[in-house]
Amino acid sequence: PGEIVALLGRNGSGRSTVLKAIMGLADARGSVAWAGTGLLGRPPFEIARAGVGYVPETRDVFTRLSVRQNLQLGLRRGALRPGDRLEAMYTMFPALAERRDTPAGVLSGGEQQMLALARTLMGEPGLLLVDEPTEGRAPQVVETVARALVALRRSGVAVLLAEQKLAIVLEI
């Protein structure tokens, strides 16, 4: 808890595949455990319920839904005080607060990346898998994502980051 680990390697070396395998989205052999729960071989929804959140490189926002609606989809079942979670995400990502009623499909790539990260955080994961969150993004987006990851570390969330540029910025 509270640690950021960077998974480094050249393009095509399998960093994204490692994250997908942990999340149950790619075949894998061996063992991976989080908080005493074995993850390999389980379906993604069980892994998510075990407290693992995944932010893919592809962003995968629901383009016709508003920013607020996208965030609400990330709430974990039975979450207490969902309004507080929304406000926490708007504080962490002020650009999303300004665009809360905007369809996600018209957001910039950087805003969509922040939305994908915030939506995953709505589920309050204990372990966050983040794949290339700043690839091709503007310096302001890189800075915002870096600040968010540092805040998560301080709050006790563990982060497995597949990103070389951000690992350097965070001095991991």
Side-chain angles (χ1 to χ4, degrees):
E3 186 174 11
I4 299 175
V5 175
L7 184 58
L8 304 176
R10 297 176 147 224
N11 287 340
S13 65
R15 294 176 311 213
S16 296
T17 303
V18 168
L19 297 185
K20 288 175 186 172
I22 293 169
M23 200 61 211
L25 300 169
D27 291 333
R29 288 182 289 203
S31 64
V32 173
W34 170 250
T37 300
L39 301 179
L40 293 188
R42 292 177 176 261
F45 75 90
E46 285 184 12
I47 294 169
R49 285 185 184 156
V52 181
Y54 173 57
V55 183
E57 179 180 15
T58 54
R59 297 186 302 269
D60 296 337
V61 299
F62 296 94
T63 57
R64 292 186 178 183
L65 299 180
S66 70
V67 167
R68 178 186 299 119
Q69 291 168 324
N70 267 270
L71 291 174
Q72 289 170 329
L73 287 174
L75 279 170
R76 80 183 150 80
R77 188 171 40 168
L80 300 175
R81 304 170 74 161
D84 290 350
R85 291 300 303 156
L86 271 173
E87 288 309 313
M89 293 305 105
Y90 292 147
T91 299
M92 189 176 287
F93 302 103
L96 298 180
E98 296 169 11
R99 314 228 27 215
R100 67 184 74 197
D101 296 316
T102 302
V106 302
L107 299 177
S108 71
E111 290 169 331
Q112 287 184 6
Q113 185 62 54
M114 287 186 276
L115 178 57
L117 179 55
R119 186 183 61 221
T120 301
L121 293 174
M122 289 290 289
E124 300 180 80
L127 170 61
L128 182 64
L129 310 174
V130 188
D131 193 6
E132 301 283 351
T134 64
E135 184 64 31
R137 304 288 171 250
Q140 181 181 2
V141 173
V142 173
E143 184 178 318
T144 300
V145 171
R147 275 196 314 266
L149 293 177
V150 168
L152 290 171
R153 176 173 54 197
R154 286 187 192 126
S155 72
V157 174
V159 178
L160 179 57
L161 175 67
E163 164 88 56
Q164 294 176 140
K165 179 174 33 174
L166 199 53
I168 293 167
V169 170
L170 294 172
E171 298 178 4
I172 306 174

